[in-house]
Amino acid sequence: MGIMTLDTRFYSLQVDPQKGCRDTSRCPATDAFHYMPSTKHNGSIPIDHFLKEALQILRHASLAVTTQDNDTACETEQEDQGQDQAVTWKLNLSPTTMTLDTSIQTISGLEKVLEQLSMNVQPRPPPLKQPRMISSDEFQMPDYLHAIATALWLSSVFPLPKADIFRQFNSIQLMRQCVQAFVMCDGAIFFNIPRLLAATDLVLTHPAASKEHPVKTLLVLSICSLMIRHVMMHKQGPPQIAAGLMHAYYAHARLLLQDLFDARHISVVQALFILSVYPQGHVDMFSPSRTRSSYLTLALRSALAMDLHQIDLQDTEESEDKEKMRRFAWMLLCADYFADWNSTGKTGRISVADWHVNFPQPLPDEQTAKRVEYLSLYSRVVMIRKMHLFRSAYSIVHRSPKGRESSMDEMLFETYMNTPTSFQLKPDLIEYAKRAWSRSDMEPLLLHTLYYDTLIASHVPFLPKRYLATLERERPLRESHVKYIYDRISQSASPHQSRIPDYGAFARPASNPDFEADSKEVEHHTVLGCLDAASHFTLVLELLITIDPLGCYHSPIYGALTTAHVYHMLEANSDHPEVAHLCRINLVRTLRIVQQASVVHADAMTLYLQRILPQWLTMTSDEPTGRLQQQASEIMRALRERAKRTTDVSLHKLSSDDGLQIVKAEST
């Protein structure tokens, strides 16, 4: 019998008089993967609980795949049970000491008892063995990110009008239609709409509004600059006039800003946020196509100075204004993330540790409730991306044969996405796509564009080096296309405007893993995951064009840019003929998407894609898009079934005592 004495003056032990100390030696590797929390607090989802659950899911996954790791609780428990009999112990407490009488005779047994005791000590002492850090920082994709950023830069290139002759086409009615389109097409879910409409009427009917109501005038002008091209699309007006008016509104707003930069007013921050999108449209406000802007930086600084990132630390009652500010805060975070991601490969200026904003929730009887739910789900995915949890999750599975064979990556992604039933799409989209689509399907489809973009960003870093090397070799060609397009559309040749994104900004990891040493099975698993996400992405873009032909809610250009580069990499490097053929089919479909989008969206990226895609195409087809969709679906299904058969054979060879337990919990 061993005796251990501890000084209790520095710890408080919580012991149930009836039950004694809790035995908390339950194995975390066999715990269920829980769905992300949906608990509401004061009408919103608590962000702190969400972040803790997100990290816990990754820890569970790491434990589940490291069944040979001696640091896991499961192996310790199994080793103790195999080598020693059940450990018995008795804890005796006194005012200054506690004495442990125990039958343990091994170090592992002692560690087991100490771990059980530590669960009852407050404050909790550090664990005896620190868990292995989960990091995926060595998995980067600078070549891919630079290729996307180079093309995205063209979205910010806009030919300035030669003369200020467009003001004559302006009217009070046209400006009012811009604000109405902002409410109808975008939803304006981060505004108090009655207050916005009242401010619009005041500005448009007051001759001296710029001097007497500068903040309201600034907000109205920023909205007009954002929406005028879309309004002209609805009115079938000349695009040249729309572009001229857009610049006129933008220039007037900039003049007003000179006296309002230091104003601590939420409307000024909202105006800065809207102006930062220029010359892109309203569908790009917080989308993955976001690029850096000095106005976005100013908006972020002003919002942080006003503690917009700590809304739910403040002890204030719930109100409509607080909920609208919560939505605006999340839009800023998403825009900050994507702008930084597309410029440096980093995750934005806003720190997760300083973020105390719960997820948005619809207000009672709100007509745009589904749009608010979409923003909430969208924000959750962006936050998980910001924490690198998707990439880290795939890193765990990529390194584990058992994780790949059990499709743990798919389970982890589904758990992190946590898609409600009303936003889910059926797995076999090609059959689902044959039904009639309507406006009510818009938000689920939009959410899935982010899902598939996230899956692509999670898989591409794990492709063998030769895939990304393809993009590196072609960098001079891409940059020559971009410079040609810039010279063609730009009226100014100042150096700061013609600067292409710096390749060096996308830093390479200190040590690159040797992907080429991976087996063909590992490579094929990653290729299929990437190809499946891109194929679904392309199909969703085609569906969105069908139900939103005027681009009220979405632009397919960024999605086409992303998937085109994925197909090109896979087609040029994969050893599987079926993979290469599927990529060729999808490149044809992508070119058709770009051609349709160029009619609606005045984005210079379409010029780039229309130049580069024909060079990547190694096949042409006159078959209708529906037939190409069917062919792509059949090839993808055959690839999945073949991979599943290979997995089943591998699983059958595993010894019965070395299996991997993964349990999927029901939605809470």
Side-chain angles (χ1 to χ4, degrees):
M1 181 75 71
I3 297 178
M4 180 177 66
T5 303
L6 299 176
D7 193 332
T8 61
R9 288 173 294 177
F10 303 104
Y11 298 100
S12 63
L13 187 65
Q14 299 177 341
V15 181
D16 189 315
Q18 302 297 326
K19 300 179 180 179
C21 295
R22 294 182 295 121
D23 181 358
T24 58
S25 60
R26 185 164 60 98
C27 173
T30 58
D31 282 351
F33 288 147
H34 298 291
Y35 278 76
M36 298 300 291
S38 58
T39 308
K40 295 182 181 179
H41 175 68
N42 292 331
S44 60
I45 300 174
I47 183 64
D48 294 339
H49 183 48
F50 172 84
L51 296 178
K52 291 177 182 177
E53 284 289 323
L55 291 169
Q56 188 62 29
I57 287 173
L58 194 64
R59 294 190 187 103
H60 278 271
S62 181
L63 288 170
V65 299
T66 55
T67 55
Q68 300 300 319
D69 190 345
N70 290 329
D71 292 338
T72 63
C74 262
E75 288 187 338
T76 302
E77 183 176 13
Q78 293 168 358
E79 183 181 328
D80 290 343
Q81 290 175 351
Q83 297 179 0
D84 304 307
Q85 299 299 319
V87 173
T88 60
W89 50 273
K90 180 181 179 181
L91 188 67
N92 302 310
L93 299 176
S94 71
T96 59
T97 62
M98 62 179 176
T99 303
L100 180 67
D101 297 335
T102 175
S103 63
I104 60 176
Q105 298 180 3
T106 64
I107 296 298
S108 61
L110 176 61
E111 289 179 349
K112 180 179 178 181
V113 173
L114 291 176
E115 286 291 348
Q116 294 177 20
L117 283 169
S118 69
M119 297 297 294
N120 298 279
V121 176
Q122 298 295 333
R124 178 89 180 270
L128 296 177
K129 293 186 177 181
Q130 295 293 336
R132 186 167 58 105
M133 293 297 293
I134 302 171
S135 174
S136 59
D137 290 343
E138 71 269 31
F139 297 97
Q140 303 288 346
M141 48 180 182
D143 306 301
Y144 174 82
L145 289 175
H146 183 264
I148 300 299
T150 302
L152 272 177
W153 174 75
L154 286 173
S155 294
S156 62
V157 177
F158 176 72
L160 300 180
K162 293 183 178 180
D164 191 12
I165 61 174
F166 299 100
R167 293 180 187 270
Q168 60 182 306
F169 297 100
N170 187 35
S171 67
I172 292 176
Q173 181 182 4
L174 187 59
M175 294 182 71
R176 183 174 281 110
Q177 287 174 346
C178 288
V179 177
Q180 290 171 347
F182 181 60
V183 173
M184 296 297 295
C185 294
D186 181 75
I189 58 175
F190 62 107
F191 279 95
N192 183 306
I193 294 177
R195 200 180 299 162
L196 174 62
L197 296 178
T200 303
D201 288 337
L202 176 64
V203 169
L204 297 182
T205 58
H206 200 292
S210 295
K211 294 182 179 180
E212 298 183 14
H213 306 283
V215 173
K216 294 178 179 177
T217 304
L218 171 65
L219 186 59
V220 172
L221 285 170
S222 65
I223 293 174
C224 290
S225 175
L226 181 73
M227 299 302 301
I228 182 61
R229 286 200 290 187
H230 187 64
V231 168
M232 282 294 192
M233 178 63 62
H234 278 283
K235 295 168 64 71
Q236 298 182 344
Q240 297 83 359
I241 293 177
L245 286 173
M246 177 184 68
H247 181 70
Y249 295 141
Y250 177 76
H252 193 176
R254 290 185 63 181
L255 289 175
L256 289 177
L257 268 176
Q258 294 178 2
D259 298 324
L260 296 173
F261 273 123
D262 298 329
R264 292 288 187 89
H265 197 293
I266 192 62
S267 293
V268 175
V269 184
Q270 290 170 329
L272 284 169
F273 176 63
I274 293 173
L275 289 172
S276 70
V277 187
Y278 176 90
Q280 294 174 288
H282 63 287
V283 296
D284 300 299
M285 281 200 294
F286 56 94
S287 77
S289 61
R290 255 303 198 156
T291 56
R292 274 187 174 179
S293 162
S294 58
Y295 284 152
L296 178 59
T297 302
L298 289 171
L300 289 169
R301 289 177 179 173
S302 300
L304 295 175
M306 296 171 65
D307 290 332
L308 209 61
H309 62 303
Q310 297 182 345
I311 292 174
D312 288 295
L313 275 185
Q314 305 162 10
D315 189 16
T316 57
E317 293 184 0
E318 288 295 314
S319 64
E320 179 179 349
D321 285 344
K322 184 175 181 179
E323 173 58 31
K324 295 297 177 72
M325 291 303 96
R326 191 176 281 134
R327 299 171 189 179
F328 181 46
W330 276 106
M331 289 182 181
L332 282 169
L333 181 136
C334 294
D336 174 50
Y337 168 79
F338 286 121
D340 204 25
W341 178 254
N342 289 326
S343 303
T344 65
K346 299 179 182 178
T347 59
R349 297 175 174 86
I350 299 176
S351 170
V352 174
D354 298 331
W355 189 255
H356 300 282
V357 184
N358 294 341
F359 290 103
Q361 290 295 301
L363 296 166
D365 302 322
E366 188 171 10
Q367 293 183 351
T368 55
K370 197 165 187 179
R371 187 75 175 175
V372 178
E373 292 177 39
Y374 160 69
L375 174 62
S376 180
L377 294 167
Y378 191 99
S379 301
R380 291 157 63 100
V381 176
V382 172
M383 178 57 79
I384 297 174
R385 284 181 63 155
K386 190 175 177 71
M387 297 165 69
H388 294 302
L389 294 188
F390 285 110
R391 190 181 69 191
S392 295
Y394 193 75
S395 172
I396 293 171
V397 178
H398 179 266
R399 292 164 171 168
S400 167
K402 296 177 184 178
R404 295 191 303 272
E405 289 159 357
S406 60
S407 301
M408 185 190 281
D409 50 341
E410 296 179 11
M411 294 177 57
L412 278 169
F413 290 142
E414 288 177 7
T415 302
Y416 274 138
M417 301 299 189
N418 191 26
T419 312
T421 304
S422 59
F423 280 81
Q424 290 179 2
L425 300 179
K426 291 186 177 180
D428 192 356
L429 266 183
I430 191 63
E431 295 299 325
Y432 192 48
K434 295 178 181 178
R435 73 172 181 85
W437 294 81
S438 65
R439 168 66 184 85
S440 62
D441 300 303
M442 181 63 64
E443 282 78 14
L445 290 170
L446 290 176
L447 185 63
H448 278 75
T449 63
L450 178 64
Y451 284 0
Y452 299 134
D453 179 68
T454 299
L455 292 177
I456 290 172
S458 302
H459 283 81
V460 168
F462 299 89
L463 290 170
K465 294 178 182 178
R466 68 180 189 278
Y467 287 78
L468 292 170
T470 300
L471 299 181
E472 164 62 14
R473 288 194 302 271
E474 295 177 353
R475 183 155 60 100
L477 175 64
R478 292 195 308 272
E479 291 183 352
S480 68
H481 285 314
V482 169
K483 290 176 180 177
Y484 171 81
I485 294 169
Y486 173 82
D487 293 338
R488 175 179 164 187
I489 66 176
S490 178
Q491 300 299 316
S492 172
S494 57
H496 73 279
Q497 286 184 316
S498 60
R499 185 172 62 86
I500 291 175
D502 182 15
Y503 179 74
F506 299 95
R508 294 179 178 273
S511 60
N512 249 345
D514 185 10
F515 294 100
E516 300 300 339
D518 290 339
S519 68
K520 287 297 182 181
E521 187 273 330
V522 176
E523 175 185 339
H524 192 55
H525 182 85
T526 304
V527 167
L528 280 189
C530 197
L531 183 57
D532 186 66
S535 297
H536 277 87
F537 201 168
T538 297
L539 181 56
V540 168
L541 293 178
E542 290 167 337
L543 297 176
L544 283 168
I545 288 178
T546 301
I547 61 177
D548 184 26
L550 293 181
C552 293
Y553 306 98
H554 180 256
S555 168
I557 299 172
Y558 172 83
L561 175 70
T562 300
T563 54
H565 282 80
V566 170
Y567 296 141
H568 177 55
M569 280 194 302
L570 300 185
E571 191 268 341
N573 293 281
S574 177
D575 296 332
H576 290 259
E578 297 91 339
V579 170
H581 184 52
L582 176 55
C583 290
R584 296 183 192 111
I585 292 175
N586 287 345
L587 281 172
V588 172
R589 295 165 62 193
T590 302
L591 179 58
R592 293 180 183 181
I593 290 172
V594 173
Q595 290 169 340
Q596 289 178 271
S598 64
V599 178
V600 176
H601 301 278
D603 192 323
M605 259 205 301
T606 59
L607 300 176
Y608 169 81
L609 287 170
Q610 286 176 318
R611 283 180 64 86
I612 199 123
L613 277 173
Q615 298 180 14
W616 290 347
L617 285 170
T618 58
M619 63 168 280
T620 58
S621 176
D622 296 327
E623 294 190 65
T625 298
R627 176 58 185 153
L628 294 180
Q629 291 173 349
Q630 188 66 43
Q631 291 177 9
S633 176
E634 291 170 357
I635 296 173
M636 195 71 239
R637 189 183 298 113
L639 287 170
R640 286 198 211 99
E641 290 175 353
R642 188 179 308 158
K644 186 177 184 302
R645 288 195 299 271
T646 304
T647 298
D648 291 341
V649 172
S650 300
L651 282 173
H652 183 69
K653 294 179 180 178
L654 290 175
S655 59
S656 59
D657 60 343
D658 199 25
L660 174 66
Q661 294 185 14
I662 302 177
V663 184
K664 187 174 180 181
E666 294 298 324
S667 178
T668 57

